[in-house]
Amino acid sequence: QAKDSGKNSARFFTADMDQAVQMRTRLEAQLRRALDQNEFRVYFQPQVDLRTHRIVGAEALIRWVREDGSMCPPSEFIPVAEETGLITPIGEWVLRQACTEAARWQRLSATPVSLAVNLSAYQFRHQDLSRLVQEILRETGLPAQMLELEITESLLVQDDISVGTTMQDLRHLGVHFTVDDFGTGYSSLSYIRRFPVETIKIDQSFIRYCVQDHSAATLVEAILAMASSLNLRVVAEGVETIEQRELLRSLRCGYAQGYYFGRPMPAEDFAALPALAMGVA
Ligand code: C2E
Ligand code: MG
Ligand code: MG
Ligand code: MG
């Protein structure tokens, strides 16, 4: 009997694997088509200075609306794009599109608005990233110092010399670096000092509970203290309530982003935000 059930579970296991492989293959084909058919969009979410309540930046977030109108979240397709290498053309498309929009805001708006773009580790390894960024900045006319590239902690702990070199090249152009989802990985600021990083984004999982849960608030406070001693800017991610905003302000967190200030939105809506000043009580 034990033998039988072992056989069965082995069979189920292969069936599951087949299905997973099939789904991945299908998604890969759909992603290729999405690129050709222009099914991707870039949305922009405001980033706010907590002292002045002014919008100082926007994060570009990719959106995929399939042919049938359904939305596929980045958490589902970005990993597949990374595994298949499709993140290279997709990432390039996002960067070009986002920089084009941001360059327009610089011309229209009296206050400068920086642009944050997410990068995958894959883009550092398989592409001459500094040349690409340089090319796109020239093409779009976006000043380099208005561009922030968001990377993850895992890219920095790999201790890959070429990553550091690429980052230095880009920093010399004027581009800034932000460590995204800070607190979820290695959470050590010591290695961050070895790279040209100006900003860390505290992961939304800490912000979500910081009002109710004292230990989450203590962690946020500790991160802010470390960041301040290293002269790093801090952006709190996932701020949804006024209570969270007030707590972060009282802890002297500089910047915030989240549904409370604005959801990710199409470029036209972002540009139309009233005087680019929101959240004023
Ligand atoms: P991320 O870079 O950490 O982006 C923040 C995510 O939190 C976004 O999800 C955003 O829509 C969401 N968010 C913002 N404010 C709130 C809030 O107040 N509450 C909650 N619950 N969520 C909030 P999204 O757009 O689904 O993107 C998920 C992840 O996919 C991103 O995390 C990023 O890692 C990746 N991603 C998105 N666009 C790109 C891209 O163009 N290139 C690459 N390589 N990755 C991307
Ligand atoms: Mg990000
Ligand atoms: Mg994040
Ligand atoms: Mg992330």
Side-chain angles (χ1 to χ4, degrees):
Q1 229 219 329
K3 232 179 173 178
D4 269 6
S5 71
K7 227 171 167 180
N8 274 337
S9 64
R11 201 187 306 137
F12 281 127
F13 183 63
T14 4
D16 281 352
M17 296 259 291
D18 281 352
Q19 216 175 23
V21 169
Q22 270 176 33
M23 266 175 65
R24 168 134 320 174
T25 312
R26 189 159 3 118
L27 194 53
E28 182 184 350
Q30 289 178 345
L31 283 172
R32 283 185 200 284
R33 219 213 28 217
L35 260 174
D36 286 345
Q37 307 286 314
N38 243 329
E39 290 174 5
F40 294 116
R41 295 285 172 271
V42 183
Y43 274 29
F44 298 89
Q45 185 178 33
Q47 298 181 327
V48 172
D49 183 325
L50 282 173
R51 275 169 313 176
T52 62
H53 299 290
R54 287 203 155 263
I55 295 177
V56 291
E59 179 177 20
L61 294 158
I62 192 169
R63 294 291 176 263
W64 179 19
V65 186
R66 289 174 161 135
E67 218 176 15
D68 63 5
S70 68
M71 191 86 118
C72 183
S75 56
E76 262 174 48
F77 70 83
I78 292 285
V80 178
E82 284 169 345
E83 281 164 42
T84 55
L86 281 169
I87 194 66
T88 303
I90 293 174
E92 183 174 335
W93 181 85
V94 170
L95 197 60
R96 184 169 279 112
Q97 195 69 23
C99 287
T100 304
E101 294 298 342
R104 208 192 323 256
W105 306 331
Q106 312 307 318
R107 290 193 292 269
L108 294 177
S109 159
T111 50
V113 180
S114 66
L115 169 72
V117 179
N118 293 284
L119 285 186
S120 292
Y122 191 98
Q123 293 176 269
F124 273 84
R125 284 194 227 102
H126 297 267
Q127 198 173 24
D128 187 346
L129 197 62
S130 65
R131 215 194 53 193
L132 176 73
V133 170
Q134 223 168 325
E135 199 178 286
I136 289 179
L137 290 174
R138 185 159 14 88
E139 236 174 76
T140 60
L142 181 71
Q145 56 289 357
M146 298 316 288
L147 180 62
E148 274 169 40
L149 298 175
E150 293 196 1
I151 57 177
T152 53
E153 293 176 80
S154 57
L155 181 73
L156 302 184
V157 292
Q158 282 164 8
D159 222 6
D160 181 338
I161 288 177
S162 71
V163 168
T165 313
T166 303
M167 286 177 72
Q168 289 297 351
D169 289 350
L170 285 163
R171 185 65 198 102
H172 286 139
L173 291 177
V175 173
H176 295 270
F177 283 95
T178 297
V179 173
D180 204 351
D181 306 337
F182 189 83
T184 57
Y186 306 87
S187 310
S188 146
L189 287 171
S190 63
Y191 65 85
I192 285 187
R193 298 171 68 180
R194 295 192 265 126
F195 296 91
V197 169
E198 284 79 30
T199 305
I200 57 171
K201 282 179 104 165
I202 304 180
D203 191 68
Q204 49 192 64
S205 57
F206 298 97
I207 309 304
R208 190 167 304 136
Y209 304 109
C210 69
V211 173
Q212 302 96 309
D213 178 357
H214 188 70
S215 65
T218 305
L219 270 166
V220 170
E221 215 174 335
I223 294 174
L224 285 164
M226 284 195 292
S228 155
S229 69
L230 293 172
N231 279 318
L232 291 164
R233 280 170 86 242
V234 178
V235 180
E237 228 179 9
V239 176
E240 295 186 354
T241 67
I242 191 163
E243 290 81 12
Q244 291 167 344
R245 183 194 77 175
E246 283 314 300
L247 178 67
L248 289 161
R249 252 155 66 96
S250 71
L251 296 176
R252 292 172 197 272
C253 176
Y255 303 89
Q257 184 182 339
Y259 295 168
Y260 173 76
F261 302 102
R263 293 195 174 239
M265 60 189 95
E268 314 85 81
D269 297 356
F270 185 85
L273 287 174
L276 282 182
M278 310 170 61
V280 184

